[in-house]
Amino acid sequence: MYLIAADNNLDHMEETHSSNTWWLQSKALTSSSPQFLCMGLNNVYTLKLWTALKLPISLPHWNFFMKSCPEAPLNPVVSPRKTELRIKKIMEKLDQLIPNRPFTHVTSTTSAKQSRATILNPQDTYCRGDQLDVLLEVKDHLGRRKQYGGDFLRARMSSPALKAGASGKVTDFNNGTYLVSFTLFWAGKVSLSLLLIHPSEGVSALWRARKQGYDRVIFTGQFANGTSQVNSDCALFLNSSTELCEYLDTRDQEAFYCVKPQHVPCAALTHMRSKNKNVSYLSKQERSLFERSNVGVEIMEKFDAITVSNCNTEKTAPVPKKCKFGMTSTVPSGHVWKDTWNPVSCSLAPIEMKECLKGKFVYLLGDSTIRQWMEYFKSSINTLKSVDLHETGKFQHQFGVDLDKNIKIQWQKHGYPLVGSLNFSVKEIEYLARVIDRIGGEKNTIIVISLGQHFRPFPIDVFIQRALNIHDAVQRLLLRSPDTMVIIKAENIREMHNDAERFSDFHGYIQYLAIKDIFQDLNVGIIDAWDITIAYGTNDVHPPQSVVKNQINIMLNFIC
């Protein structure tokens, strides 16, 4: 599928911690004034929800208003030092996967046009189920053989007339040669594609640049000041001598900052928006590697389609077992045929959605790619009624209920960072670890988590720390309610030519590897949206409804 194909699993660290107490601090930081406020999340959302359903209102322990802060949390928490060590170990492994590559001139970087792909043991006709191997020898723009690997490649086979597609597996020999393997899943005319997304020198540059700053995307916070609004600069990190508001989760050591407006308290923050800043940590030469004409260049453009036949029709392959949690992941993980996803290691049955979801509470937590699921449920279940939570804006909570079938489905955004040019409310924003901590769980509770796209413009340790905190919250949930079903939806691929330094799929791929590794020790389901969206050939961060439908069908097979 991609570079770094020798071993896509990072060795997982089994370190956990537990705590039932949390504090969200909103404080003004100055050198002369150590005063601060502790502010709980006044979760009006839950109050609205219970009121809308005409259920008894009970405010849980986490819903509290302004109060003075204790000197320390009531229960011990994992030390910041221990969290730092967990992050450092993962970062070290990623650094080993992405070694520094020399970059003297554009002509010395990998060229798709000069590189040579050769089908090994070519045949006039192939049999369905066979493996087709391609040897790739990469060269630079002057035709010189490359002596090292690390190129970011995407391999795919497809038959558009059959609405069929699958990713290929890429093995990097780290000497300028690659083995690209395709499993021939279906019969018919099959086209092969091998894209050079970024040369190894570009990959190295992106990895170095990602570690250098938090300011590729800047935020504007809106504070309520009586009947007017005051705007202020906000960020994950602010190098400023001015007075700051710090919105801090002390247990999980996650923070967001705003420059404190004059005469306005930190707790008056109501909305947020973002914009890309005109800043780059790439050199002028390096930026040329990410011009549109140099991203996603086809290497196998001169290859004709191959013919695949049903050679051994008398032999019936055994039907794999139904998909369930804990099944081994493969590369590729499946294929699309007639617009339907077919996993390699298990089978998917058609599931009647409404009956499957009867009596269940589905929490969809994360970004807009999982919000697409919410929108699909609302359009597909005609008896699912939206509850008006009296919110506005781009990232407003969504809740749907079917009272006859007792189905409840909720979408909620993840905490900072959220990248969006339109104003969105942060009155009820919270980190997903906190959301998971207050879910009771049990067998009729399903939680689907999707995380990644909004983290791409920031140093990856921000993403790793968030994923670790969510991992620990899921672990606590499964200890108290082991029948709860938790599913991780990997992030989708997206537009190839859209601002590579901030949003390249290279950043998403590294996050994809990290999150698979972090959650591998828990009994959770994984929906490999990364591989699915490659197979479908959709380069839209919000894939078509048919892709969303097939992702949801995997969940339905997991739970019913």
Side-chain angles (χ1 to χ4, degrees):
M1 183 165 60
Y2 274 110
L3 85 170
I4 318 171
D7 184 2
N8 282 352
N9 275 328
L10 313 173
D11 296 326
H12 182 58
M13 292 94 53
E14 297 181 1
E15 299 179 65
T16 62
H17 68 274
S18 162
S19 172
N20 295 321
T21 303
W22 70 276
W23 303 97
L24 179 66
Q25 297 178 354
S26 125
K27 64 182 179 180
L29 303 174
T30 67
S31 57
S32 59
S33 173
Q35 300 172 347
F36 62 88
L37 292 170
C38 275
M39 181 180 68
L41 284 175
N42 176 14
N43 202 317
V44 180
Y45 165 66
T46 298
L47 183 62
K48 292 174 184 173
L49 175 58
W50 283 68
T51 303
L53 296 179
K54 299 181 180 179
L55 299 173
I57 294 173
S58 174
L59 298 180
H61 72 277
W62 45 264
N63 186 12
F64 57 90
F65 295 88
M66 294 296 228
K67 57 177 72 176
S68 59
C69 297
E71 293 183 0
L74 299 178
N75 292 330
V77 299
V78 77
S79 69
R81 176 61 179 162
K82 192 172 184 180
T83 300
E84 288 173 9
L85 288 174
R86 297 167 78 190
I87 296 170
K88 184 180 178 182
K89 286 182 180 179
I90 296 176
M91 289 291 295
E92 288 173 349
K93 291 163 190 169
L94 291 174
D95 281 332
Q96 291 173 6
L97 290 175
I98 315 164
N100 185 44
R101 296 302 186 199
F103 182 26
T104 55
H105 193 271
V106 173
T107 58
S108 65
T109 65
T110 307
S111 165
K113 184 177 180 180
Q114 295 285 350
S115 298
R116 181 182 178 188
T118 305
I119 294 178
L120 301 178
N121 302 314
Q123 302 174 35
D124 292 334
T125 302
Y126 296 84
C127 293
R128 183 167 64 89
D130 285 352
Q131 178 172 301
L132 184 149
D133 292 324
V134 176
L135 181 66
L136 173 64
E137 299 173 279
V138 294
K139 299 180 180 181
D140 66 18
H141 289 265
L142 299 178
R144 299 171 299 195
R145 168 77 181 274
K146 299 289 291 292
Q147 300 300 313
Y148 48 82
D151 297 296
F152 193 42
L153 306 168
R154 179 179 298 171
R156 180 175 180 261
M157 52 183 279
S158 64
S159 296
L162 298 173
K163 295 185 177 180
S167 68
K169 180 180 179 180
V170 178
T171 303
D172 185 348
F173 296 116
N174 295 307
N175 61 0
T177 60
Y178 301 81
L179 182 67
V180 185
S181 301
F182 296 96
T183 301
L184 304 178
F185 289 109
W186 63 87
K189 292 289 185 181
V190 176
S191 298
L192 306 179
S193 170
L194 182 57
L195 300 179
L196 174 64
I197 308 289
H198 305 309
S200 54
E201 296 81 6
V203 167
S204 180
L206 285 176
W207 186 236
R208 187 201 71 248
R210 186 168 184 180
K211 299 175 184 179
Q212 289 185 252
Y214 295 82
D215 55 350
R216 294 176 189 84
V217 174
I218 58 173
F219 295 87
T220 300
Q222 191 175 86
F223 290 76
N225 184 22
T227 57
S228 62
Q229 304 288 339
V230 179
N231 291 335
S232 184
D233 292 337
C234 301
L236 290 166
F237 175 80
L238 281 173
N239 184 14
S240 174
S241 59
T242 58
E243 188 177 12
L244 299 180
C245 293
E246 180 185 50
Y247 303 94
L248 173 67
D249 182 330
T250 56
R251 185 196 69 185
D252 291 341
Q253 289 297 299
E254 300 206 64
F256 193 76
Y257 301 88
C258 291
V259 174
K260 185 181 182 302
Q262 287 188 348
H263 313 302
V264 178
C266 295
L269 179 63
T270 63
H271 290 81
M272 194 72 61
R273 67 177 183 272
S274 75
K275 68 176 181 179
N276 295 340
K277 189 176 180 181
N278 187 22
V279 61
S280 174
Y281 295 97
L282 300 171
S283 70
K284 184 177 179 180
Q285 273 196 328
E286 288 170 338
R287 286 197 296 273
S288 70
L289 298 177
F290 306 106
E291 294 173 358
R292 186 179 183 90
S293 60
N294 293 329
V295 177
V297 184
E298 180 61 66
I299 295 174
M300 300 179 68
E301 63 181 354
K302 296 181 180 178
F303 280 67
D304 295 329
I306 63 167
T307 302
V308 182
S309 300
N310 290 309
C311 303
N312 301 311
T313 53
E314 71 279 2
K315 292 184 180 180
T316 304
V319 178
K321 295 181 179 178
K322 184 175 178 289
C323 294
K324 60 182 180 179
F325 284 12
M327 304 198 87
T328 304
S329 177
T330 60
V331 180
S333 62
H335 72 280
V336 181
W337 188 69
K338 291 187 177 179
D339 217 21
T340 300
W341 178 249
N342 298 270
V344 167
S345 56
C346 60
S347 63
L348 295 173
I351 302 287
E352 208 291 309
M353 183 186 301
K354 195 170 176 179
E355 286 302 313
C356 177
L357 296 178
K358 183 179 179 180
K360 293 182 172 59
F361 199 144
V362 182
Y363 294 86
L364 305 175
L365 306 178
D367 56 31
S368 57
T369 68
I370 199 70
R371 188 180 65 209
Q372 283 188 277
W373 286 32
M374 184 75 199
E375 292 158 358
Y376 185 85
F377 284 129
K378 288 193 295 186
S379 65
S380 301
I381 304 175
N382 58 8
T383 52
L384 188 72
K385 304 302 181 185
S386 293
V387 177
D388 185 359
L389 300 174
H390 304 290
E391 295 183 30
T392 58
K394 185 177 180 182
F395 292 115
Q396 61 182 295
H397 288 105
Q398 296 188 37
F399 185 79
V401 60
D402 182 329
L403 293 177
D404 291 334
K405 295 290 186 179
N406 191 24
I407 301 169
K408 295 178 283 292
I409 305 176
Q410 168 187 324
W411 175 79
Q412 182 171 344
K413 61 182 178 288
H414 63 67
Y416 303 117
L418 282 165
V419 178
S421 59
L422 300 177
N423 268 12
F424 57 90
S425 173
V426 296
K427 294 177 182 179
E428 299 162 2
I429 197 167
E430 54 186 327
Y431 295 117
L432 294 189
R434 297 304 181 179
V435 178
I436 295 165
D437 277 340
R438 69 168 189 269
I439 293 175
E442 297 305 346
K443 65 179 182 179
N444 287 322
T445 300
I446 298 98
I447 300 171
V448 189
I449 302 165
S450 182
L451 200 68
Q453 296 285 346
H454 293 263
F455 290 81
R456 292 188 183 191
F458 305 100
I460 197 171
D461 57 294
V462 176
F463 175 80
I464 294 171
Q465 180 165 355
R466 185 67 50 84
L468 287 170
N469 289 337
I470 292 172
H471 167 278
D472 294 350
V474 170
Q475 187 172 56
R476 291 190 291 270
L477 170 64
L478 295 179
L479 285 172
R480 66 182 179 266
S481 300
D483 291 336
T484 308
M485 287 174 276
V486 180
I487 298 168
I488 308 297
K489 184 192 84 67
E491 63 186 282
N492 306 330
I493 62 171
R494 65 177 300 161
E495 300 82 2
M496 262 186 280
H497 309 98
N498 184 17
D499 197 347
E501 185 171 357
R502 291 178 180 86
F503 296 109
S504 168
D505 271 344
F506 163 73
H507 298 313
Y509 180 62
I510 297 305
Q511 292 174 174
Y512 165 74
L513 294 182
I515 208 162
K516 284 206 304 182
D517 178 74
I518 288 169
F519 282 91
Q520 68 176 332
D521 66 332
L522 297 181
N523 184 32
V524 300
I526 301 291
I527 294 179
D528 195 342
W530 189 266
D531 195 48
I532 292 170
T533 48
I534 290 174
Y536 271 95
T538 171
N539 293 315
D540 188 341
V541 65
H542 297 118
Q545 195 174 53
S546 61
V547 179
V548 175
K549 174 184 177 181
N550 278 275
Q551 292 176 352
I552 290 173
N553 189 48
I554 299 172
M555 181 202 75
L556 296 176
N557 274 262
F558 279 158
I559 68 177
C560 294

